[in-house]
């Protein structure tokens, strides 16, 4: 990564209201130079509005946005050191690939020889060097996206904004494009800010992620921290799969004792940012549980369970078990071998996990 | 009645009357009411007389100016409607088509009331003139040298200006609606992308909005130009002696001149021209789509 600690975007206390609807609610955020930053959230959470405010296509109702140290208030989109790849790509249908990529230079009066060089370099960067004379309707979705990328990169922006860039591509192409975008970002060294609702995309590509819900940033952290140490119930629930149980917690020396109805009791190490009386629930990810036919050793917490449902996914199998009368739990079993035996519905087994893999929630 | 197949409707109300007129155009006038079909080309030959060619030319000129003015006026209106809040957009569209709810004749007479010597425009101008006159007097200047001895009403009616003004007024909705339709369909992100890439609003309009609205522009031009070319009422009521259009000549052949064969020939020449315009448009759009498909 080309990250430095230099700030390139500073969003402070920005809100955006459309009539009575609050799309973005009092958010602050700092993005560093060279960073690959993801705004992640469910649809309608305000992430695109936030991106559009960076581009100057929406005006914040409150708060300020600094790009490269300059206040962007009143600066129109065409005067911002930022370019955007639109979700629909917005490749101009009446221009060739070359004219599309050259458009941003032509309108700012770049002389033709320099424009030609820059356009060809950008097209080579996205592997479309041979497509310069094609019309957009002769291109596939993936190729149009590369045109949109080249068209933005040729402007050498401080920050490149990408609005759901991969959502329209099929699964295989999407995976390839994820890797390519990261590679491209490393090559050009431009700060990328990507909006996505796809957590896989955010986790695999971004250096840091802001998880947004209902207009508010819930957590800003590196992908691993977002997944392993979600800050609250929304993030825990939104990212990956999570089993959540109601629980009571009490202090027990330097550890916290958890009492979860049906499941049982165990102790976990102390979390400094939370008092025991704030804890109302605990959570464990399916892949952090283990299923055995015999009770495991005492280093793990374990409970007896009955298998109620099995869903086969190829690389893994989701096994749903019932502990006690009311508590259902999803466990993920990796299908590491072809000859692996799977349990059957109705079997009694033991579900276990490391106490410290449990997440404490308010 | 409703169960009648459309083919029969077309035959009875369109093809038969039109065929009759077509046959008349090759006929010879015999006496007061009789027309003998002689397959003569004399009516068409007479239409090539410079007198009539000049009127055709004048009709083209009026229709062309009308179309151009409509385009220039309608584009900002269509843009304003497209970008207005969704709540008031239907109201604005309603205002555009509202004139259609009143008879053309009544609207034209209303225009006469606006434009005539003692009409609203001249009344307004006179009011301003009086005000200016009094102001100049107040400052001790002699207004007669500057703005004339007394107010002279602007000649706004019974001339070419009145005809074009009337035609623009009548045909403006025909231009606004197709332009609005094509602008409304346009993906806003094209405009945003253009701004984002550093283009000014004006540049975006020229390089993105206009080319992408081209289908709407062509439709608007055609459905404005064709009816404007065949206008009868507007030049008849608002025009002067030298602002006749071809439809006025046709009308005179059928009525006062009582020369149906010649009137029919003129009608069909106008119709052939219309067909030619439409055919050219079809060819143009076929080429456009062929280019896109290749």
């Amino acid at each position: 990564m080309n990250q430095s600690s230099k700030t390139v975007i500073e969003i402070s206390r920005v809100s955006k209201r459309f009539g009575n609807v609050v799309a973005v609610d009092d958010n602050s955020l700092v993005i560093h130079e060279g960073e690959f930053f993801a705004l992640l959230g469910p649809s309608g959470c305000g992430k695109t509005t936030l991106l559009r405010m960076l581009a100057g296509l929406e005006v914040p109702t409150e708060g300020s946005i600094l790009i490269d140290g300059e206040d962007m208030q009143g600066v129109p989109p065409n005067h911002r050191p930022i370019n955007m790849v639109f979700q629909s790509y917005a490749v101009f249908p009446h221009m060739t690939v070359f004219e599309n990529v050259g458009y941003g230079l032509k309108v700012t009066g770049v002389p033709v020889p320099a424009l030609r060089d820059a356009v060809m370099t950008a097209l080579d960067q996205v592997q479309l060097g041979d497509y310069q004379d094609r019309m957009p309707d002769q291109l596939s979705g993936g190729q149009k996206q590369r045109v949109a990328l080249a068209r933005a990169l040729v402007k050498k922006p401080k920050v490149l904004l990408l609005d759901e860039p991969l959502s329209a591509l099929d699964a295989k192409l999407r995976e390839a494009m994820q890797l390519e975008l990261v590679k491209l970002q490393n090559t050009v060294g431009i700060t990328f800010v990507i909006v996505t609702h796809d957590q896989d995309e955010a986790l695999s590509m971004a250096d840091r992620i802001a998880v947004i819900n209902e207009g508010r940033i819930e957590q800003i952290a590196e992908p691993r921290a977002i997944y392993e140490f979600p800050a609250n119930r929304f993030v825990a629930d939104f990212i990956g799969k999570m089993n959540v149980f109601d629980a009571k917690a009490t202090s027990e020396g330097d550890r916290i004792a958890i009492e979860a109805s049906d499941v049982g009791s165990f102790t976990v190490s102390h979390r400094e940012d939370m008092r025991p009386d704030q804890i109302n629930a605990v959570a464990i990810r399916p892949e952090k549980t283990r299923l055995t036919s015999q009770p495991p050793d005492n280093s793990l917490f374990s409970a007896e369970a009955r298998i109620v449902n099995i869903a086969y996914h190829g690389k893994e199998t989701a096994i749903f078990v019932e502990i006690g009368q009311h508590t259902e739990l999803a466990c993920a079993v990796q299908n590491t071998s072809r000859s692996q035996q799977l349990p059957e519905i109705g079997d009694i087994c033991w579900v276990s996990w490391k106490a410290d893999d449990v997440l404490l929630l308010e | 009645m409703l169960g009648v197949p459309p083919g029969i409707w077309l035959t009875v109300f369109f093809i038969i009357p039109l065929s009759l007129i077509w046959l008349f155009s090759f006929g010879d006038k015999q006496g007061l009411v009789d027309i003998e079909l002689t397959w003569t080309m004399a009516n068409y030959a007479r239409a090539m007389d410079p007198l009539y060619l000049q009127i055709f030319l004048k009709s083209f000129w009026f229709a062309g100016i009308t179309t151009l003015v409509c385009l220039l006026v309608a584009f900002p209106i269509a843009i304003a409607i497209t970008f207005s809040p969704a709540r008031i957009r239907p109201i604005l569209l309603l205002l555009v088509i509202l004139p259609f709810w009143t008879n053309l004749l009544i609207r034209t007479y209303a225009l006469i009331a606006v434009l005539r010597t003692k009409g609203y425009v001249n009344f307004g101008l006179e009011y301003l003139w009086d005000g200016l006159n009094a102001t100049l007097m107040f400052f001790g200047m002699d207004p007669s040298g500057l703005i004339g001895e007394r107010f002279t009403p602007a000649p706004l009616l019974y001339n070419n200006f009145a005809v074009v003004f009337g035609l623009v007024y009548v045909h403006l909705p025909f231009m606004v609606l197709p332009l609005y339709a094509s602008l409304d369909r346009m993906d806003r992100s094209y405009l945003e992308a253009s701004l984002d890439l550093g283009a000014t609003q004006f540049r975006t309009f020229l390089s993105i909005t206009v080319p992408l609205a081209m289908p709407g522009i062509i439709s608007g031009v055609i459905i404005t130009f064709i009816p404007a070319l065949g206008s009868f009422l507007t030049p008849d009521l608002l025009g002067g002696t030298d602002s006749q259009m071809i439809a006025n000549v046709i009308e005179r052949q059928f009525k006062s001149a009582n020369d149906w064969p010649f009137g029919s020939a003129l009608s069909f020449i106008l119709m052939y021209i219309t067909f030619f315009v439409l055919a050219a448009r079809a060819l143009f759009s076929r080429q456009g789509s062929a280019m896109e498909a290749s």
Side-chain angles (χ1 to χ4, degrees), chain B residues 60-250:
Chain B
F60 267 99
W61 175 239
F62 279 175
I65 296 272
T66 300
T67 307
L68 185 68
V69 174
C70 278
L71 185 62
L72 294 179
V73 175
F75 225 118
I77 297 175
I79 288 177
I81 298 176
T82 310
F83 287 93
S84 61
R87 271 179 304 110
I88 64 167
R89 219 175 297 155
I91 300 169
L92 293 174
L93 283 172
L94 187 74
L95 287 176
V96 171
I97 58 166
L98 202 60
F100 287 136
W101 295 6
T102 311
N103 186 286
L104 174 62
L105 190 63
I106 294 169
R107 278 187 283 151
T108 308
Y109 274 115
L111 263 188
I112 292 177
V114 172
L115 297 177
R116 67 185 167 200
T117 313
K118 292 217 171 282
Y120 299 117
V121 172
N122 273 320
F123 178 77
L125 287 175
E126 188 170 10
Y127 184 80
L128 289 177
W129 187 91
D130 284 344
L132 193 58
N133 193 34
T135 316
L136 289 174
M137 296 271 262
F138 179 79
F139 287 110
M141 286 185 268
D142 178 20
S144 58
L146 284 167
I147 57 173
E149 200 81 33
R150 54 206 317 231
F151 175 72
T152 39
L156 300 171
L157 201 54
Y158 309 124
N159 54 24
N160 293 346
F161 164 81
V163 174
V164 172
F165 186 88
L167 289 177
V168 168
Y169 165 69
V170 169
H171 293 97
L172 197 57
F174 293 116
M175 188 65 95
V176 173
L177 294 178
L179 282 181
Y180 166 74
S182 70
L183 288 175
D184 191 50
R185 257 201 317 268
M186 190 185 299
D187 188 345
R188 297 282 165 85
S189 58
Y190 291 133
L191 310 181
E192 292 177 345
S194 172
L195 293 175
D196 183 69
L197 290 166
T200 57
Q201 292 279 0
F202 184 65
R203 182 70 195 240
T204 300
F205 176 76
L206 287 185
S207 300
I208 309 296
T209 314
V210 170
L212 292 182
M214 204 40 95
I217 295 174
I218 292 171
S219 302
V221 163
I222 284 178
I223 67 169
T224 306
F225 183 80
I226 288 176
L229 186 63
S231 293
F232 160 72
L233 197 64
T234 312
D236 193 46
L237 292 182
L238 302 181
T241 45
D242 69 331
S243 32
Q244 289 184 82
M245 291 174 72
I246 195 66
N248 304 104
V249 177
I250 294 172

Side-chain angles (χ1 to χ4, degrees), chain A residues 52 57 77-78 82-84 86 88 90-95 103-104 106-108 137-138 151 155, chain B residues 187 189-201 203-204 207-208 211-212 291-294:
Chain A
R52 289 171 60 83
L57 299 170
N78 48 336
I82 261 189
N83 286 103
M84 182 151 163
F86 288 78
S88 60
V91 175
F92 304 132
H94 59 298
M95 297 183 191
Y103 182 81
K106 195 174 154 198
V107 295
T108 46
D137 55 8
Q138 298 167 276
R151 187 174 70 177
K155 297 278 292 177
Chain B
D187 188 345
S189 58
Y190 291 133
L191 310 181
E192 292 177 345
S194 172
L195 293 175
D196 183 69
L197 290 166
T200 57
Q201 292 279 0
R203 182 70 195 240
T204 300
S207 300
I208 309 296
L212 292 182
M291 205 176 68
E292 276 164 30
S294 65

Side-chain angles (χ1 to χ4, degrees), chain A residues 12 168 175 181 206 216 301 315 327 332 360:
Chain A
S12 31
E175 220 164 286
L181 275 178
R216 294 198 76 104
F301 163 80
K315 65 172 179 173
T327 309
L360 308 179

